[in-house]
Amino acid sequence: MGEIISGKELSKQIREEVRLQVEELKCKYKAVPHLAVVLVGEDPASQSYVKAKERACIKAGMKSTAIIKPLTITEEALLNIVKDLNDDTTVHGILVQLPLPKHIDENKVIDAIDITKDVDGFHPLNVAYMHLGRDAILPATPKGIMTMIHSKNIELKGKDAIIIGRSNIVGKPIAMLLMKEHATVQIAHSRTVNLKEKCLRSDIIVAAVGRPNTVTSDMVKDGAVIIDVGVNRVDGKLCGDCDFENIKDKASYITPVPGGVGPMTITSLLQNTLECFERLMK
Ligand code: GUN
């Protein structure tokens, strides 16, 4: 039986550490770490993510402001909101929830965020720093995955990793972070051939495609580490991209869904907000 890496438990521990640090820094700087979250429209998934982020911030002793705008907001108006948040010295983290409506150029909005407040790590300069292996604000989900791997002291050096999914938010950055720690990384995607054979040769599988049962037990080598980033709903039940039940006995470590990578994403966001706060206050 593989060991389950509980993002829920690890998050609880780290969020308590963050809360204590926040308490200390509030006294030191006489200021409160403040995350501003911008939400456009009424997409239920985005609404629930934003609510969860707000709740976590408040629980950690930080301030959270949600700026909620209708789907009809113009690009110019949204850019002005970002500009105001950049200029507001009481705001230390800015997050614009994606996706944005089609009439708004997402890149323009991300580019407008002050990189010192870019808690998502989505600004192209932050992305570049990360790719160069320089000091950077790391995107929350890949950062959370690395925290989970480190929490179990899983050796990465010389290991073969396969990432399934090439998104800017998860696939590409996690590949960089694993490579930085000396894993040999392969990125698979929808056009990849012989996925099963490639997975069977891998010591680490990161599944981030958003399709249930993308990874089944016949694709997993004995003792592999399985990181499941998928969030899917099947018959009203939350599940990941991996067939957890049938893989768990083969894997050495596996992350569950729910209670795995998901909670770690918000935990990393709290860490990033705290990091931005400290740097801005210094
Ligand atoms: N939409 C889905 N995931 C994310 C995220 O991590 N950050 C933002 N801003 N939007 C998202």
Side-chain angles (χ1 to χ4, degrees):
M1 168 83 184
E3 187 176 339
I4 293 170
I5 314 178
S6 168
K8 197 175 161 189
E9 287 307 311
L10 185 57
S11 278
K12 223 186 257 176
Q13 211 179 303
I14 296 173
R15 289 187 201 193
E16 177 57 14
E17 284 164 20
V18 168
R19 192 187 68 76
L20 294 171
Q21 276 175 284
V22 167
E23 235 173 48
E24 205 176 288
L25 292 175
K26 271 176 167 172
C27 287
K28 183 171 171 189
Y29 295 116
K30 307 275 181 286
V32 186
H34 181 185
L35 174 69
V37 181
V38 183
L39 172 63
V40 176
E42 293 175 3
D43 173 59
S46 290
Q47 280 176 331
S48 83
Y49 288 139
V50 167
K51 274 213 186 87
K53 289 169 187 177
E54 273 200 285
R55 266 201 303 270
C57 262
I58 290 161
K59 223 173 150 188
M62 301 188 195
K63 183 175 170 184
S64 164
T65 303
I67 298 154
I68 299 167
K69 295 291 168 189
L71 214 54
T72 51
I73 190 172
T74 63
E75 185 179 279
E76 191 190 359
L78 185 59
L79 288 169
N80 280 329
I81 291 171
V82 171
K83 186 181 177 307
D84 288 344
L85 293 171
N86 286 342
D87 294 340
D88 186 340
T89 55
T90 70
V91 170
H92 311 98
I94 303 169
L95 182 156
V96 179
Q97 188 66 30
L98 303 179
L100 290 170
K102 289 211 168 28
H103 67 278
I104 297 177
D105 184 344
E106 240 167 51
N107 289 335
K108 263 195 194 169
V109 176
I110 293 169
D111 291 358
I113 297 172
D114 182 332
I115 70 155
T116 63
K117 299 186 180 185
D118 175 32
V119 284
D120 262 331
F122 288 174
H123 191 285
L125 252 187
N126 267 323
V127 175
Y129 287 153
M130 182 198 64
H131 278 248
L132 292 168
R134 286 173 55 171
D135 201 17
I137 299 171
L138 300 180
T141 302
K143 178 175 174 146
I145 293 170
M146 295 311 289
T147 306
M148 292 175 102
I149 290 173
H150 293 151
S151 76
K152 298 293 179 190
N153 294 314
I154 295 167
E155 176 73 273
L156 294 174
K157 190 163 63 183
K159 295 293 167 67
D160 289 317
I162 186 164
I163 323 291
I164 314 173
R166 55 178 156 182
S167 72
N168 291 331
I169 297 183
V170 182
K172 287 180 200 164
I174 194 64
M176 283 299 143
L177 298 177
L178 290 171
M179 190 166 62
K180 193 178 180 193
E181 298 196 21
H182 316 295
T184 301
V185 177
Q186 180 165 218
I187 304 181
H189 46 76
S190 53
R191 314 292 161 85
T192 295
V193 294
N194 301 330
L195 181 64
K196 179 178 168 180
E197 286 70 26
K198 289 179 169 77
C199 286
L200 275 170
R201 285 198 297 268
S202 300
D203 305 302
I204 300 152
I205 300 177
V206 180
V209 279
R211 200 186 59 216
N213 289 320
T214 296
V215 180
T216 47
S217 72
D218 60 324
M219 298 166 77
V220 173
K221 152 165 120 172
D222 276 336
V225 175
I226 309 294
I227 309 287
D228 194 344
V229 192
V231 184
N232 310 295
R233 236 170 234 290
V234 174
D235 302 327
K237 226 179 122 206
L238 217 55
C239 71
D241 289 349
C242 303
D243 179 8
F244 180 87
E245 278 312 312
N246 293 306
I247 293 175
K248 69 179 192 303
D249 294 329
K250 254 185 157 178
S252 57
Y253 293 94
I254 184 164
T255 68
V257 178
V261 174
M264 291 302 294
T265 296
I266 296 188
T267 299
S268 306
L269 175 69
L270 296 177
Q271 290 176 311
N272 283 351
T273 305
L274 188 62
E275 200 179 306
C276 288
F277 172 72
E278 250 199 300
R279 284 195 202 173
L280 285 163
M281 298 309 287
K282 263 183 193 159

mmCIF file of all heavy atoms in Angstrom, residues 34-37 91-95 116-119 273 276-277 280:
data_model
loop_
_atom_site.group_PDB
_atom_site.id
_atom_site.type_symbol
_atom_site.label_atom_id
_atom_site.label_comp_id
_atom_site.label_asym_id
_atom_site.label_seq_id
_atom_site.Cartn_x
_atom_site.Cartn_y
_atom_site.Cartn_z
ATOM 1 N N HIS A 34 -2.282 41.935 3.048
ATOM 2 C CA HIS A 34 -3.579 42.174 2.423
ATOM 3 C C HIS A 34 -3.586 41.640 0.994
ATOM 4 O O HIS A 34 -2.802 42.077 0.161
ATOM 5 C CB HIS A 34 -3.835 43.699 2.456
ATOM 6 C CG HIS A 34 -5.139 44.125 1.871
ATOM 7 N ND1 HIS A 34 -5.484 45.452 1.721
ATOM 8 C CD2 HIS A 34 -6.198 43.421 1.392
ATOM 9 C CE1 HIS A 34 -6.684 45.540 1.173
ATOM 10 N NE2 HIS A 34 -7.129 44.313 0.960
ATOM 11 N N LEU A 35 -4.468 40.685 0.758
ATOM 12 C CA LEU A 35 -4.627 40.113 -0.588
ATOM 13 C C LEU A 35 -5.886 40.676 -1.240
ATOM 14 O O LEU A 35 -6.962 40.634 -0.648
ATOM 15 C CB LEU A 35 -4.739 38.581 -0.497
ATOM 16 C CG LEU A 35 -5.062 37.843 -1.795
ATOM 17 C CD1 LEU A 35 -3.904 37.902 -2.780
ATOM 18 C CD2 LEU A 35 -5.431 36.388 -1.524
ATOM 19 N N ALA A 36 -5.756 41.197 -2.443
ATOM 20 C CA ALA A 36 -6.921 41.656 -3.202
ATOM 21 C C ALA A 36 -7.187 40.657 -4.329
ATOM 22 O O ALA A 36 -6.282 40.326 -5.100
ATOM 23 C CB ALA A 36 -6.658 43.040 -3.783
ATOM 24 N N VAL A 37 -8.407 40.152 -4.360
ATOM 25 C CA VAL A 37 -8.789 39.178 -5.393
ATOM 26 C C VAL A 37 -9.832 39.813 -6.296
ATOM 27 O O VAL A 37 -10.848 40.319 -5.824
ATOM 28 C CB VAL A 37 -9.364 37.899 -4.748
ATOM 29 C CG1 VAL A 37 -9.746 36.887 -5.810
ATOM 30 C CG2 VAL A 37 -8.377 37.290 -3.777
ATOM 31 N N VAL A 91 -2.159 47.255 -0.077
ATOM 32 C CA VAL A 91 -2.372 45.957 -0.746
ATOM 33 C C VAL A 91 -1.011 45.333 -1.066
ATOM 34 O O VAL A 91 -0.143 45.984 -1.641
ATOM 35 C CB VAL A 91 -3.196 46.142 -2.048
ATOM 36 C CG1 VAL A 91 -3.211 44.861 -2.880
ATOM 37 C CG2 VAL A 91 -4.620 46.572 -1.717
ATOM 38 N N HIS A 92 -0.837 44.059 -0.674
ATOM 39 C CA HIS A 92 0.460 43.404 -0.873
ATOM 40 C C HIS A 92 0.415 42.258 -1.881
ATOM 41 O O HIS A 92 1.447 41.801 -2.343
ATOM 42 C CB HIS A 92 0.982 42.887 0.468
ATOM 43 C CG HIS A 92 0.920 43.921 1.542
ATOM 44 N ND1 HIS A 92 -0.110 43.977 2.454
ATOM 45 C CD2 HIS A 92 1.712 44.984 1.797
ATOM 46 C CE1 HIS A 92 0.071 45.020 3.254
ATOM 47 N NE2 HIS A 92 1.162 45.648 2.869
ATOM 48 N N GLY A 93 -0.807 41.793 -2.163
ATOM 49 C CA GLY A 93 -0.957 40.714 -3.145
ATOM 50 C C GLY A 93 -2.152 40.994 -4.035
ATOM 51 O O GLY A 93 -3.196 41.433 -3.552
ATOM 52 N N ILE A 94 -1.975 40.759 -5.349
ATOM 53 C CA ILE A 94 -3.084 40.963 -6.294
ATOM 54 C C ILE A 94 -3.272 39.678 -7.088
ATOM 55 O O ILE A 94 -2.310 39.129 -7.630
ATOM 56 C CB ILE A 94 -2.785 42.114 -7.282
ATOM 57 C CG1 ILE A 94 -2.492 43.417 -6.531
ATOM 58 C CG2 ILE A 94 -3.938 42.294 -8.275
ATOM 59 C CD1 ILE A 94 -1.937 44.526 -7.424
ATOM 60 N N LEU A 95 -4.522 39.237 -7.138
ATOM 61 C CA LEU A 95 -4.831 38.033 -7.895
ATOM 62 C C LEU A 95 -6.068 38.303 -8.740
ATOM 63 O O LEU A 95 -7.094 38.726 -8.209
ATOM 64 C CB LEU A 95 -5.090 36.915 -6.877
ATOM 65 C CG LEU A 95 -5.391 35.505 -7.336
ATOM 66 C CD1 LEU A 95 -5.016 34.542 -6.235
ATOM 67 C CD2 LEU A 95 -6.826 35.306 -7.738
ATOM 68 N N THR A 116 5.837 42.768 -7.940
ATOM 69 C CA THR A 116 6.114 42.570 -6.506
ATOM 70 C C THR A 116 4.845 42.159 -5.746
ATOM 71 O O THR A 116 4.911 41.767 -4.585
ATOM 72 C CB THR A 116 6.692 43.845 -5.859
ATOM 73 O OG1 THR A 116 5.718 44.885 -5.940
ATOM 74 C CG2 THR A 116 7.965 44.284 -6.545
ATOM 75 N N LYS A 117 3.683 42.271 -6.419
ATOM 76 C CA LYS A 117 2.416 41.874 -5.779
ATOM 77 C C LYS A 117 1.773 40.669 -6.491
ATOM 78 O O LYS A 117 0.643 40.303 -6.184
ATOM 79 C CB LYS A 117 1.428 43.057 -5.800
ATOM 80 C CG LYS A 117 1.927 44.292 -5.051
ATOM 81 C CD LYS A 117 0.847 45.373 -4.986
ATOM 82 C CE LYS A 117 1.358 46.600 -4.229
ATOM 83 N NZ LYS A 117 0.298 47.615 -4.058
ATOM 84 N N ASP A 118 2.501 40.088 -7.426
ATOM 85 C CA ASP A 118 1.961 39.024 -8.287
ATOM 86 C C ASP A 118 1.959 37.679 -7.553
ATOM 87 O O ASP A 118 2.793 36.810 -7.822
ATOM 88 C CB ASP A 118 2.812 38.972 -9.565
ATOM 89 C CG ASP A 118 2.437 37.835 -10.481
ATOM 90 O OD1 ASP A 118 1.245 37.476 -10.510
ATOM 91 O OD2 ASP A 118 3.344 37.297 -11.154
ATOM 92 N N VAL A 119 1.006 37.513 -6.628
ATOM 93 C CA VAL A 119 0.982 36.305 -5.780
ATOM 94 C C VAL A 119 0.698 35.018 -6.555
ATOM 95 O O VAL A 119 0.945 33.924 -6.049
ATOM 96 C CB VAL A 119 -0.049 36.442 -4.629
ATOM 97 C CG1 VAL A 119 0.474 37.355 -3.537
ATOM 98 C CG2 VAL A 119 -1.397 36.915 -5.136
ATOM 99 N N THR A 273 1.551 35.421 -0.447
ATOM 100 C CA THR A 273 1.064 36.721 0.019
ATOM 101 C C THR A 273 1.942 37.218 1.166
ATOM 102 O O THR A 273 2.325 38.394 1.210
ATOM 103 C CB THR A 273 -0.412 36.617 0.471
ATOM 104 O OG1 THR A 273 -1.174 36.080 -0.615
ATOM 105 C CG2 THR A 273 -0.980 37.969 0.865
ATOM 106 N N CYS A 276 5.288 38.353 -0.278
ATOM 107 C CA CYS A 276 5.187 39.672 -0.927
ATOM 108 C C CYS A 276 5.097 40.768 0.137
ATOM 109 O O CYS A 276 5.735 41.813 0.024
ATOM 110 C CB CYS A 276 3.966 39.738 -1.844
ATOM 111 S SG CYS A 276 4.164 38.774 -3.340
ATOM 112 N N PHE A 277 4.300 40.513 1.162
ATOM 113 C CA PHE A 277 4.144 41.478 2.260
ATOM 114 C C PHE A 277 5.499 41.792 2.879
ATOM 115 O O PHE A 277 5.878 42.958 3.022
ATOM 116 C CB PHE A 277 3.186 40.900 3.308
ATOM 117 C CG PHE A 277 3.085 41.696 4.583
ATOM 118 C CD1 PHE A 277 2.435 42.919 4.601
ATOM 119 C CD2 PHE A 277 3.620 41.218 5.770
ATOM 120 C CE1 PHE A 277 2.329 43.659 5.780
ATOM 121 C CE2 PHE A 277 3.516 41.941 6.958
ATOM 122 C CZ PHE A 277 2.875 43.173 6.956
ATOM 123 N N LEU A 280 7.734 43.789 0.602
ATOM 124 C CA LEU A 280 7.291 45.177 0.404
ATOM 125 C C LEU A 280 7.504 46.022 1.657
ATOM 126 O O LEU A 280 7.687 47.229 1.576
ATOM 127 C CB LEU A 280 5.800 45.198 0.007
ATOM 128 C CG LEU A 280 5.513 44.763 -1.427
ATOM 129 C CD1 LEU A 280 4.057 44.419 -1.618
ATOM 130 C CD2 LEU A 280 5.936 45.852 -2.419
#
